[in-house]
Amino acid sequence: MSRSTGSWLEARTGYRAGLRHLLDEPLPPGVNWWFTLGSVLLFLLALQFITGVVLTVYYAPTPDHAYDSLRFILAQVSLGRLLRGLHAFGASFIVVAAVAHMLRVFAFGAYKAPREMTWVAGSLLLAVILAFALTGYLLPWDQRAYWATVVTINIVRSTPLAGEWLAATARGGTEVGALTLTRWYAAHVVLLPAALAGLVVLHLYLMRRHGVAGPTVPREGEPRAFYPFHAIKDTIASAAVFAALVGMAAFVEAPLDAPADPTDARYLPRPEWYFLGLFQLLKYSPGPFEPVATVILPALLLIALVLLPFIDRAPERRPGARRAILGVGVAVVVVVAALTALGLRDLPPRRDPRAWTPRAVGGRLLAERANCASCHREGGSATALAELRLARDPDWIAAHAQDPETIAPGSRPPPRDALITPDRAKGVVSYLRRLQMGAAPAPRLSPEDELAVYVYAANCAQCHALDGEGEEVGPELSRVGREKNAEALRTWITDPAEIDPDADMPAFGEKLTAEELTAIVNYLVRRK
Amino acid sequence: MDRRRFLASLINAIGGAIGAATAFIAGAALLSARFARRRETWVPAARLTDLDEDVPVTATLRVVRDDGYRQVVDREVVFLFREEKGGARVLGSTCTHLGCRVSWDAEHQRFNCPCHGGRFDKNGIVVAGPPPEPLATLTAKVDGDRVHVQL
């Protein structure tokens, strides 16, 4: 800015005085690195705002498109994977920074008069940050997002008195769906940012009004200006956190599950790590006491947090004179940390979404036999398989595979037969997901095993799971070889009624060729 | 340089580096043009034996196109003629004036634009009205009896 423009602006706005007021804030001696946590948090929130805005440019908040729009961000948008990693891991960084900042203020007794309202605004900010985290992870509309939200809304419903009403408000429609997604999206990108901005401004205003509390025992010496003597510490601390976050976003892949499937009752939803303590507490609460763990205890904790400066009113700030309240604080931290650690230990092992399951391998064979790639290839008349959108429901895929003409008449030859049924379409999607996530090529199988997994994906997966994929109408088959020998398996598959007249399973004797029957029996009998 | 000025420039340098890195990531994502590519595809349009040298066959072609994270079906109307040599000639139906859809006027053996009176002959050459250029000629190939048009 040229000198004359600067003078003109100064004359009209007085910005120099404002800037000087901001930067020359006198800080008491002894303000050290512990006092950078608030600035780091503010920096992370600003960064989260920027990455959030860019994500909003590409994200579509509808169940039909949310998942595919996120995959689009990951696969097509330049640096999209890094951007999403920054936002996803940024949330965790913010929770850590917020708690660290709060514990520092607690330990230093900085919430005491006259700074009670600064603390209250800060406690509300923590609640807003957690609400951000909660609404944020519904947005990808993957399995984890969907089921975690179903659980969250059921927790809300356990609130005494107002439960049903609160749950209906959180849900929008009668079930978790499109109305829930737009609602949470509106909260995440409009309502909560507005609340956050207002509370941050209030918090900073109050911080300046009363000044930084400084060390618990005031030190001798002259106050020093915030800029540049403390600002350099804030800048270095923020830069270090930024470097760690960028490194994490670059080298660790933020999780994305399969598309949300409301019919999949087998999925084990697990919350983000910062809600794991609450989740663990829930496990220890017997039925009638559930609302205690889900609503009452967390609400009491938040209320106690807000009221802390009004409960602990003695002006003394030295830790030695505050043993009781510090003891309570340490106890709360230990309990929350222990519950979180227990929750982490109880986490089911994460399945690598790129690992091939029999259903996925069989799905690949189904896609080959159905000639999908005759149109769905690079330069073909339709989008290549590796880039197809995935959020279609199985019925649509089956209808499309049986009659591509309805999608684009004249552009495709009719299929040879109705190979792809809705049940089989799920296997094809399972294969496509691995293809699109850049999984290693499917494992090579012997011709007989290849036929077996094909038979499995085409006929069995709609009722039986293998290696974690497949429906659960009938028993899991991963260890079926321990219970049944080849002869029993063959008889059972050919005609279950021969063994158990009440069997629900249909007979496959006439649906499978002799070769197919032998292949699937030999494959299953080895599953031990 | 005194300590104060040194610290101030260090703050500016580090802050500038963080800002530049953030701006680079956000800018790359916002200005990303990798998905702006449009794939060209061959779409079967008609049988060669159905075509005539003087009267066009009007075909509505449907082509699946990526629209960001979804796919849409574009409809494109084209006019197909048989060529003397045995190939096919394909004209687009978009008027070169302001983009209206032209149609074949069998009586006068020409294409009429309904918007501003543009007229084209069967070769797509402007014969009357404001259009600045002839109708677009699309690339076609004959595969057996099938005429495919590149879109």
Side-chain angles (χ1 to χ4, degrees):
Chain A
M1 190 164 18
S2 77
R3 199 168 289 272
S4 64
T5 317
S7 308
W8 184 90
L9 212 56
E10 167 63 12
R12 299 301 187 279
T13 62
Y15 78 96
R16 279 179 192 156
L19 209 57
R20 214 170 298 127
H21 175 75
L22 272 181
L23 295 179
D24 289 350
E25 176 192 8
L27 297 183
V31 169
N32 55 23
W33 289 94
W34 282 113
F35 292 79
T36 59
L37 287 166
S39 298
V40 168
L41 181 55
L42 187 62
F43 164 74
L44 284 171
L45 288 171
L47 187 66
Q48 198 75 350
F49 177 78
I50 294 170
T51 52
V53 165
V54 182
L55 286 172
T56 312
V57 168
Y58 294 110
Y59 173 77
T62 74
D64 286 349
H65 296 305
Y67 187 80
D68 281 318
S69 70
L70 179 54
R71 281 201 329 110
F72 178 80
I73 291 169
L74 296 179
Q76 305 281 321
V77 173
S78 305
L79 298 186
R81 192 169 285 279
L82 184 64
L83 184 75
R84 194 242 168 178
L86 285 176
H87 201 74
F89 294 127
S92 290
F93 273 58
I94 284 172
V95 171
V96 172
V99 170
H101 177 53
M102 206 149 202
L103 288 177
R104 200 279 298 163
V105 171
F106 176 74
F108 279 62
Y111 50 84
K112 296 183 178 236
R115 300 186 178 83
E116 298 96 325
M117 287 313 292
T118 323
W119 173 269
V120 170
S123 308
L124 295 179
L125 272 169
L126 182 69
V128 168
I129 284 169
L130 292 178
F132 259 116
L134 195 66
T135 50
Y137 75 64
L138 172 62
L139 303 185
W141 204 251
D142 61 351
Q143 283 282 66
R144 197 168 75 120
Y146 178 85
W147 289 103
T149 303
V150 168
V151 171
T152 303
I153 288 177
N154 282 330
I155 285 175
V156 169
R157 215 169 67 193
S158 71
T159 310
L161 304 174
E164 285 299 334
W165 180 81
L166 283 173
T169 309
R171 203 173 45 227
T174 52
E175 301 293 335
V176 172
L179 295 174
T180 322
L181 183 52
T182 43
R183 199 162 269 251
W184 289 39
Y185 176 72
H188 193 79
V189 304
V190 182
L191 207 59
L192 289 172
L196 185 84
L199 284 169
V200 164
V201 168
L202 179 66
H203 194 67
L204 293 180
Y205 162 76
L206 289 169
M207 188 263 291
R208 281 306 304 270
R209 182 173 171 84
H210 300 297
V212 170
T216 51
V217 182
R219 294 198 193 157
E220 294 290 318
E222 286 298 303
R224 279 218 287 186
F226 163 74
Y227 181 87
F229 302 108
H230 187 67
I232 185 67
K233 292 196 179 87
D234 282 345
T235 309
I236 290 172
S238 299
V241 170
F242 181 68
L245 178 56
V246 171
M248 189 159 176
F251 297 112
V252 184
E253 199 176 330
L256 179 65
D257 261 337
D261 179 3
T263 63
D264 181 0
R266 203 158 31 95
Y267 188 79
L268 289 177
R270 286 292 182 274
E272 273 299 341
W273 64 267
Y274 32 81
F275 292 123
L276 264 182
L278 212 55
F279 173 78
Q280 196 66 16
L281 186 62
L282 191 56
K283 286 195 204 160
Y284 303 139
S285 316
F289 293 102
E290 200 181 89
V292 176
T294 54
V295 181
I296 297 173
L297 221 51
L300 283 180
L301 204 60
L302 183 67
I303 291 170
L305 205 60
V306 170
L307 294 183
L308 174 66
F310 309 101
I311 299 168
D312 177 30
R313 293 162 65 168
E316 184 58 69
R317 285 180 52 211
R318 274 177 307 161
R322 300 167 54 228
R323 292 226 168 85
I325 192 82
L326 285 181
V328 172
V330 168
V332 169
V333 170
V334 167
V335 168
V336 171
L339 282 172
T340 306
L342 286 171
L344 282 172
R345 214 190 51 185
D346 275 9
L347 279 185
R350 262 201 94 72
R351 268 179 207 289
D352 178 3
R354 289 187 179 82
W356 289 90
T357 59
R359 190 176 214 184
V361 178
R364 184 173 69 86
L365 300 166
L366 275 165
E368 273 170 20
R369 293 206 185 179
N371 265 336
C372 299
S374 67
C375 294
H376 291 284
R377 59 186 158 83
E378 272 308 321
S381 59
T383 309
L385 282 178
E387 291 169 22
L388 268 185
R389 52 176 299 215
L390 293 179
R392 301 275 197 199
D393 65 275
D395 289 318
W396 187 95
I397 296 169
H400 169 66
Q402 282 163 29
D403 185 13
E405 297 280 306
T406 58
I407 306 299
S411 65
R412 297 142 198 239
R416 290 181 305 177
D417 51 37
L419 180 65
I420 306 294
T421 61
D423 288 323
R424 290 171 177 177
K426 287 194 185 177
V428 176
V429 169
S430 172
Y431 154 62
L432 291 182
R433 276 189 49 229
R434 282 159 181 85
L435 184 67
Q436 301 191 354
M437 291 177 100
R444 291 189 76 87
L445 301 174
S446 68
E448 193 190 51
D449 280 356
E450 195 161 87
L451 182 61
V453 289
Y454 171 79
V455 170
Y456 166 74
N459 302 289
C460 317
Q462 62 215 59
C463 293
H464 298 282
L466 254 186
D467 297 342
E469 207 175 348
E471 314 301 317
E472 275 206 333
V473 179
E476 229 272 354
L477 297 181
S478 299
R479 306 251 182 280
V480 70
R482 288 181 182 178
E483 296 154 23
K484 290 191 166 69
N485 62 22
E487 202 43 50
L489 274 170
R490 179 179 291 273
T491 315
W492 183 265
I493 296 170
T494 309
D495 186 8
E498 256 184 56
I499 296 173
D500 175 5
D502 297 329
D504 290 327
M505 180 166 145
F508 283 89
E510 295 186 352
K511 292 182 190 160
L512 302 178
T513 64
E515 198 187 343
E516 287 175 334
L517 186 61
T518 305
I520 188 75
V521 166
N522 288 345
Y523 178 79
L524 288 177
V525 82
R526 275 186 281 119
R527 303 288 315 216
K528 286 178 177 167
Chain B
M1 202 192 295
D2 67 2
R3 181 171 151 78
R4 193 189 163 95
R5 297 229 344 241
F6 170 72
L7 290 180
S9 15
L10 198 58
I11 290 172
N12 288 343
I14 299 174
I18 295 176
T22 310
F24 178 72
I25 296 166
L30 281 176
L31 304 176
S32 180
R34 271 156 60 192
F35 45 83
R37 75 202 153 119
R38 204 186 147 145
R39 260 173 292 207
E40 310 234 302
T41 51
W42 290 96
V43 180
R47 291 178 186 287
L48 190 60
T49 43
D50 292 341
L51 301 186
D52 187 274
E53 280 179 27
D54 296 315
V55 179
V57 166
T58 306
T60 303
L61 306 184
R62 301 228 250 165
V63 60
V64 181
R65 175 174 64 79
D66 286 342
D67 176 26
Y69 42 80
R70 56 184 208 131
Q71 283 140 21
V72 291
V73 178
D74 272 351
R75 287 149 199 265
E76 188 110 17
V77 177
V78 296
F79 303 109
L80 298 108
F81 295 91
R82 177 196 273 274
E83 281 188 322
E84 285 173 43
K85 303 188 289 271
R89 188 160 54 79
V90 183
L91 292 177
S93 64
T94 307
C95 178
T96 52
H97 178 216
L98 291 173
C100 295
R101 183 82 51 225
V102 303
S103 55
W104 179 248
D105 175 357
E107 191 185 332
H108 300 98
Q109 296 283 298
R110 66 187 186 197
F111 295 101
N112 290 343
C113 178
C115 293
H116 306 97
R119 304 275 182 269
F120 305 84
D121 70 10
K122 65 167 186 163
N123 295 313
I125 309 293
V126 183
V127 291
E133 284 171 43
L135 290 174
T137 300
L138 293 137
T139 313
K141 69 177 179 189
V142 179
D143 182 12
D145 183 34
R146 279 274 184 183
V147 180
H148 295 259
V149 178
Q150 191 178 33
L151 289 176

